[in-house]
Amino acid sequence: MKASEIRSKWLSFFESKRHHIEPSASLVPHNDPSLLWINAGMAPLKPYFDGRVIPDNPRITNSQKCIRTNDIENVGKTRRHHTFFEMLGNFSIGDYFKEEVITWAWEFLTSKEWIGFDPDRLSVTVYPEDEEAYKYWNEKIGLPAERIYKLDENFWDIGEGPCGPCTEIFYDRGEKYGDLNDPECWPGGENERFLEVWNLVFSQFNHNKDGSYTPLPNKNIDTGAGLERFASILQDVDSNFDTDLFIPIIERTCEIAGVKYHVNDEHDVALKVIADHIRTVAFAVGDGVMPSNEGRGYIIRRLLRRAVRYGKTIGIDRPFLYELTSVVGEIMGVYYPEVVDKREFIERVIRTEEERFHETLSDGLVMLSDLVATARKSGTTEIGGEDAFRLYDTYGFPFDLTEDFASENGMTVDREGFDSAMEAQRERARAARQDTGGMNVQGGPLADFTVKSEFVGYNELVTEAQITAIVHEDSLVDLVGEGSRVLVLLDRTPFYAESGGQIGDKGTIVGNGFTLQVEDVTKAPHGQSVHHAVVASGTVRTGETVEAVVIRSVREDVIKNHTATHLLHKALKEVLGDHVNQAGSLVQADRLRFDFSHFGSITPEELTEIERKVNEQIWIGTPVVIESKPIAEAKAMGAMALFGEKYGDIVRVVQVGTYSIELCGGCHVANTSQIGMFKLVSESGIGSGVRRIEAVTGRHAYSYMEGQLDLLKQASALLKASNNDVPKRIEALFAQVKELGRENESLQAKLSRIEAGSLEQNAKTVGDVTVLSAKVSAPTMDALRGIADELKAKLPSAVIILGAVQEDKVSLVAAVSADLVKKGFHAGKIVKEAAAHCGGSGGGRPDMAQAGGKDASKLDEALKLAEELVLNQSNVI
């Protein structure tokens, strides 16, 4: 059975049990700072489990793409370690519980219509105190007691928050994978025979802050099954890597390398690592993660470079990983079209990173040569572990390459020191991950509040409403007085609740004898608008009739920016390419901010074109049409879905003529002409592969342009020129400054020759060594080096040490002629000693070096010391 068929059967089975099929979320967590990656099927569903959001259907199923990188070193060396995998899951948010999930799990696994496992090959583990689960397995399913194992580890608990016992289902792969006489050969033991295929977690307790456990008001089901494991069993292969999820990638890599699979163990490890890592990198880049030196980007860079390194072990010495992207798409594109749709962009990113790493390897060899030379000079034949780790961690240079190079040069590498540095880094990483966040405790004053609230703010900014709930100090109350900060819910509201990047509305809620100032609006767990307000006057009661009023001027500014954001998104795709995708946005009254994926910088000409395209749509005066449609129909129209947003079966489509079509729940202008003007304010990179544009519209664009004109007027006044002549006047000034610079350099050269001429007679000679140490007048380090160069021409065999004071700081230069360098004199060491005496540092080559110091009062002493060092050394020579 193909992996795609297993995935399809899973989703179809639970859909037949009235589950909603949740699409796979992005690998990048949305609004969840506790996670670096989506690492489990339930991770994107956390808001449902902790009560922040109430799902339309409490029964959910999914096939979720996941990344875990805690055991990278084991990938390729075991049958089932992966960095990228698919987690099949079914979930109940306060609906069904143990009996149903156990019954359905057995049906899915054993029914010929679905998976069709032999029931005699299945065993389970349960928590010892979970008699309920034991009873269902034994009495309802009919599983013999000898195939039900009680394990203390069968309790899922990540600290504060929902937790509970679990039951794991194991499949017996047969005698060739293990002997039953082996004490570890049993479900839950360390063996290859009994393979865990499914874990059912029963979230029935809350782990409280004080360490105690109390029953949850709503019991949940959270299950997880690995698609790769199912495939390995149903395809009757030795490991996950031998399934149809990996074999095509391995076969293509074999073609590139000219090797065969299952012939050489070392080659097999390399092929498996490459197959695993290219899946991870392709999917991560497809979800907007670019290789970089921090966070997610660092992990992707590390995986990509690790795959390149393994490619070298099978003879691939050129960029090749990018060629495997299309194979990943062929395997996974049926369910994950993004890998196919973004193939060209993913290939470009991977190829660029591969090429850079090949350059890094060349640079690493140069650095290694320096390390070998330094080690030899110090009389050791070992490269330090810290140095090897720095090469590995900072430059991505593999340790085994360092070992190979060292061996070729008759040296070794301090492996213990390297491992120690590696472990120290892991400890830092573990410490950084301590605050995992977990899931919030279920509950809250609005968790069970289900009275509906109608949003009428698309068409109305003032409406009559009734107060349905008031929250004060985290409790539902019926009465609050003046000065209180409250959360207020209305049966209908014109206030937009913050979402999709658009900020919440501001305004007032006025009733009989009281006024509320609304500062923000968010969503309650059941979707109602929550008005964050201050009681400005009077006493507020639930049930009161009020007038809810949105500040019109603020809303009008916001909607101009929101529609402009849609136009900007389309313009970016037209100018930069279809790979551009939204990575975040902020729509306020005074500005808009748009983050998007783009690999590379943006030229001034491209920015001008982007701005022009947006303004063209404004000048045309295109109507903005907003309709609700089935999601399939909306996607068929070409509507773009926004980053991180979840959509129901019926979606709101915002269409700007034929130019832009997006799924959006926000507020917009009726016609693009209402935007007035669009002006880019800034463009910058905010991370590897992610850029940010800030812009203004309407009256704020006018104010911005007026400010720019004021600056131009100020500049023209200072330059004593008209506005039109400012560029020419600046060009003339630049030319004048350049000419003055040339004159200054010429004068400085003359001064250097004069200074050098007067200093030449101060040189001292001991034996056949001439030394000149002097304090001179030099305004810059360049000027100081110029004097040294003049002296080198006059004294062809000498050691020259010069110092100058520049704004209470010390500059030092040392020069040693070639013949004296051969005798052991070293400019870098001489100047370093002198600088240290002045509270500074520096160094350089044996023939020329420079340094700086902080204590100008010590310069004379430092020069005298340097002279004595040279003279003493000359006496020895």
Side-chain angles (χ1 to χ4, degrees):
M1 190 183 295
K2 290 183 177 180
S4 58
E5 188 179 351
I6 299 167
R7 186 195 299 118
S8 178
K9 280 180 176 288
W10 177 282
L11 297 174
S12 296
F13 175 80
F14 283 104
E15 187 176 37
S16 74
K17 305 298 182 186
R18 296 186 291 112
H19 286 62
H20 165 70
I21 299 176
E22 185 85 2
S24 179
S26 166
L27 288 164
V28 180
H30 183 57
N31 290 332
D32 189 351
S34 70
L35 291 176
L36 194 63
W37 301 102
I38 291 298
N39 59 6
M42 61 75 59
L45 309 180
K46 282 165 65 173
Y48 296 150
F49 278 90
D50 63 27
R52 280 175 285 160
V53 178
I54 308 300
D56 293 333
N57 184 345
R59 299 182 179 189
I60 298 169
T61 186
N62 68 2
S63 181
Q64 174 63 45
K65 54 188 178 183
C66 304
I67 289 180
R68 291 183 190 174
T69 57
N70 51 319
D71 289 318
I72 291 176
E73 290 78 11
N74 291 326
V75 173
K77 298 173 184 176
T78 70
R79 288 177 167 91
R80 284 175 288 280
H81 267 98
H82 304 296
T83 55
F84 175 90
F85 61 96
E86 285 183 78
M87 184 72 81
L88 305 170
N90 63 289
F91 311 90
S92 167
I93 316 298
D95 187 37
Y96 63 82
F97 203 46
K98 293 181 186 179
E99 182 176 8
E100 293 89 341
V101 74
I102 288 173
T103 303
W104 291 338
W106 188 258
E107 179 186 351
F108 179 72
L109 292 176
T110 60
S111 171
K112 297 295 183 184
E113 180 186 356
W114 302 107
I115 296 300
F117 282 158
D118 179 354
D120 293 337
R121 288 195 169 205
L122 296 175
S123 303
V124 302
T125 59
V126 297
Y127 186 58
E129 297 178 22
D130 191 359
E131 293 297 333
E132 189 180 6
Y134 182 94
K135 180 180 177 182
Y136 289 134
W137 281 121
N138 184 234
E139 297 180 10
K140 179 163 187 177
I141 301 302
L143 201 62
E146 61 269 19
R147 300 217 314 267
I148 305 174
Y149 296 79
K150 295 184 177 182
L151 297 179
D152 289 332
E153 307 92 81
N154 278 39
F155 193 91
W156 187 82
D157 191 348
I158 59 169
E160 186 182 345
C163 60
C166 63
T167 182
E168 296 173 328
I169 306 172
F170 290 81
Y171 180 82
D172 182 356
R173 305 194 73 192
E175 292 181 7
K176 71 175 180 177
Y177 292 99
D179 186 344
L180 293 178
N181 292 320
D182 182 342
E184 280 295 321
C185 195
W186 59 279
E190 292 292 329
N191 66 87
E192 291 294 337
R193 178 165 176 167
F194 292 94
L195 185 62
E196 180 200 333
V197 293
W198 202 344
N199 186 16
L200 317 178
V201 178
F202 314 126
S203 296
Q204 62 188 92
F205 301 109
N206 199 71
H207 188 159
N208 302 311
K209 288 183 179 180
D210 61 5
S212 62
Y213 294 84
T214 52
L216 287 172
N218 295 309
K219 296 176 173 59
N220 303 320
I221 290 294
D222 164 19
T223 86
L227 176 63
E228 296 80 6
R229 293 192 178 201
F230 265 123
S232 70
I233 296 171
L234 292 167
Q235 294 172 21
D236 193 23
V237 292
D238 182 66
S239 77
N240 293 357
F241 291 99
D242 296 297
T243 67
D244 64 339
L245 290 165
F246 292 90
I247 282 295
I249 305 172
I250 290 173
E251 288 176 344
R252 178 68 183 115
T253 308
C254 286
E255 290 176 15
I256 295 170
V259 300
K260 291 185 177 180
Y261 187 42
H262 287 324
V263 172
N264 179 297
D265 288 344
E266 289 185 8
H267 288 179
D268 286 355
V269 169
L271 292 166
K272 290 173 183 176
V273 169
I274 291 166
D276 172 88
H277 289 4
I278 188 58
R279 288 182 4 132
T280 310
V281 173
F283 271 93
V285 172
D287 281 348
V289 180
M290 299 294 106
S292 67
N293 286 329
E294 59 185 13
R296 299 180 188 96
Y298 173 74
I299 290 173
I300 294 309
R301 172 165 285 169
R302 182 183 173 195
L303 291 176
L304 193 149
R305 292 184 168 189
R306 191 167 186 264
V308 169
R309 167 68 190 110
Y310 273 97
K312 282 184 169 290
T313 68
I314 54 175
I316 308 177
D317 289 315
R318 64 171 179 81
F320 74 99
L321 288 171
Y322 73 95
E323 296 177 25
L324 302 176
T325 302
S326 59
V327 187
V328 175
E330 289 167 9
I331 299 168
M332 309 294 285
V334 175
Y335 192 70
Y336 301 103
E338 63 269 24
V339 192
V340 177
D341 296 343
K342 300 177 183 179
R343 180 178 63 83
E344 289 184 8
F345 176 65
I346 296 169
E347 286 179 345
R348 180 184 168 199
V349 172
I350 294 174
R351 182 169 188 170
T352 300
E353 185 67 17
E354 284 189 271
E355 290 170 347
R356 285 177 179 171
F357 184 47
H358 279 277
E359 292 173 7
T360 294
L361 290 176
S362 300
D363 295 340
L365 290 174
V366 173
M367 287 183 269
L368 263 177
S369 298
D370 292 339
L371 287 175
V372 168
T374 302
R376 282 176 175 162
K377 279 188 177 180
S378 62
T380 180
T381 59
E382 183 179 70
I383 294 174
E386 286 281 352
D387 291 329
F389 179 74
R390 187 171 66 257
L391 271 173
Y392 167 79
D393 188 52
T394 306
Y395 302 102
F397 200 82
F399 180 79
D400 50 356
L401 276 187
T402 301
E403 280 190 315
D404 291 345
F405 186 88
S407 177
E408 290 167 7
N409 286 271
M411 303 189 76
T412 60
V413 185
D414 174 16
R415 180 69 201 229
E416 188 175 327
F418 177 87
D419 290 341
S420 177
M422 176 72 84
E423 184 56 34
Q425 186 204 53
R426 286 175 179 153
E427 284 296 331
R428 290 192 294 272
R430 279 193 284 268
R433 289 196 300 263
Q434 287 303 304
D435 184 17
T436 58
M439 288 193 292
N440 297 330
V441 178
Q442 281 187 350
L446 297 174
D448 298 319
F449 188 81
T450 58
V451 177
K452 292 189 179 299
S453 174
E454 180 188 3
F455 174 64
V456 297
Y458 290 132
N459 304 307
E460 301 176 37
L461 296 184
V462 180
T463 191
E464 186 176 281
Q466 187 177 57
I467 297 175
T468 56
I470 301 171
V471 177
H472 179 57
E473 294 183 349
D474 212 31
S475 296
L476 283 165
V477 297
D478 292 323
L479 181 74
V480 286
E482 187 173 318
S484 300
R485 286 196 166 274
V486 294
L487 305 179
V488 174
L489 275 70
L490 307 175
D491 64 343
R492 62 199 314 266
T493 179
F495 287 86
Y496 182 83
E498 180 180 351
S499 66
Q502 180 179 328
I503 63 166
D505 284 325
K506 293 176 172 52
T508 57
I509 297 174
V510 181
N512 185 18
F514 64 85
T515 299
L516 291 155
Q517 294 290 342
V518 179
E519 298 176 341
D520 194 10
V521 188
T522 58
K523 288 283 188 182
H526 289 273
Q528 309 98 322
S529 293
V530 179
H531 307 78
H532 299 242
V534 176
V535 182
S537 62
T539 301
V540 185
R541 293 177 175 82
T542 56
E544 291 271 9
T545 298
V546 297
E547 183 180 59
V549 183
V550 172
I551 299 176
R552 180 176 293 275
S553 61
V554 175
R555 168 70 84 81
E556 287 177 348
D557 286 343
V558 168
I559 63 175
K560 290 172 184 176
N561 283 335
H562 201 156
T563 306
T565 299
H566 286 216
L567 298 176
L568 172 61
H569 193 181
K570 179 63 176 179
L572 286 166
K573 283 182 174 289
E574 287 188 330
V575 175
L576 303 180
D578 285 335
H579 64 272
V580 168
N581 281 299
Q582 180 173 331
S585 70
L586 176 66
V587 180
Q588 295 179 308
D590 60 341
R591 67 185 176 115
L592 68 88
R593 187 182 74 210
F594 191 78
D595 299 340
F596 57 97
S597 57
H598 180 61
F599 197 68
S601 58
I602 303 176
T603 66
E605 293 77 17
E606 287 172 331
L607 288 173
T608 299
E609 180 68 4
I610 290 163
E611 185 176 86
R612 184 187 65 78
K613 282 181 172 292
V614 174
N615 279 303
E616 277 184 349
Q617 293 301 316
I618 294 170
W619 302 331
I620 291 170
T622 307
V624 178
V625 178
I626 302 174
E627 299 175 296
S628 293
K629 294 179 177 292
I631 191 165
E633 183 181 340
K635 288 183 176 179
M637 293 170 62
M640 287 189 289
L642 297 187
F643 176 85
E645 294 295 324
K646 290 187 180 295
Y647 300 98
D649 295 330
I650 302 297
V651 294
R652 194 164 175 268
V653 181
V654 177
Q655 187 169 359
V656 184
T658 58
Y659 188 71
S660 167
I661 310 176
E662 291 195 21
L663 307 184
C664 180
C667 305
H668 292 272
V669 297
N671 188 291
T672 57
S673 62
Q674 293 174 247
I675 300 171
M677 180 193 299
F678 173 86
K679 188 65 187 172
L680 289 175
V681 173
S682 67
E683 188 278 330
S684 61
I686 60 170
S688 182
V690 180
R691 304 198 70 81
R692 170 173 291 173
I693 278 179
E694 297 203 19
V696 286
T697 63
R699 61 192 178 100
H700 296 286
Y702 174 80
S703 296
Y704 174 78
M705 294 299 293
E706 281 295 297
Q708 298 300 298
L709 283 172
D710 283 343
L711 288 175
L712 178 59
K713 289 174 183 176
Q714 290 176 39
S716 63
L718 290 170
L719 293 168
K720 295 181 172 59
S722 68
N723 288 358
N724 290 335
D725 290 337
V726 166
K728 291 180 182 178
R729 183 71 179 118
I730 291 174
E731 285 179 2
L733 285 174
F734 275 139
Q736 187 178 345
V737 169
K738 192 174 182 179
E739 182 59 33
L740 289 171
R742 280 196 293 265
E743 290 178 11
N744 184 57
E745 287 175 4
S746 177
L747 289 170
Q748 190 61 55
K750 291 177 182 177
L751 288 172
S752 295
R753 285 194 291 273
I754 294 169
E755 184 90 28
S758 64
L759 288 172
E760 182 182 353
Q761 60 189 359
N762 294 333
K764 297 178 182 178
T765 302
V766 177
D768 59 353
V769 177
T770 299
V771 60
L772 174 58
S773 175
K775 179 179 178 180
V776 299
S777 296
T780 65
M781 179 62 81
D782 285 342
L784 189 60
R785 283 197 300 268
I787 297 171
D789 289 338
E790 289 291 333
L791 285 168
K792 282 167 64 181
K794 294 177 179 293
L795 300 169
S797 177
V799 177
I800 300 164
I801 310 112
L802 302 178
V805 176
Q806 298 150 1
E807 297 181 355
D808 297 326
K809 298 289 177 66
V810 173
S811 291
L812 290 157
V813 166
V816 179
S817 58
D819 62 319
L820 295 181
V821 168
K822 291 179 181 178
K823 291 185 177 182
F825 291 95
H826 194 291
K829 293 178 180 178
I830 295 167
V831 82
K832 185 177 182 180
E833 289 284 349
H837 197 72
C838 296
S841 62
R845 302 190 312 270
D847 62 324
M848 175 65 84
Q850 66 186 48
K854 300 175 183 176
D855 190 348
S857 67
K858 297 288 182 68
L859 178 57
D860 292 330
E861 294 177 19
L863 292 168
K864 184 67 176 174
L865 174 65
E867 181 182 287
E868 290 174 356
L869 283 171
V870 175
L871 292 173
N872 289 338
Q873 187 175 348
S874 66
N875 285 326
V876 174
I877 295 171

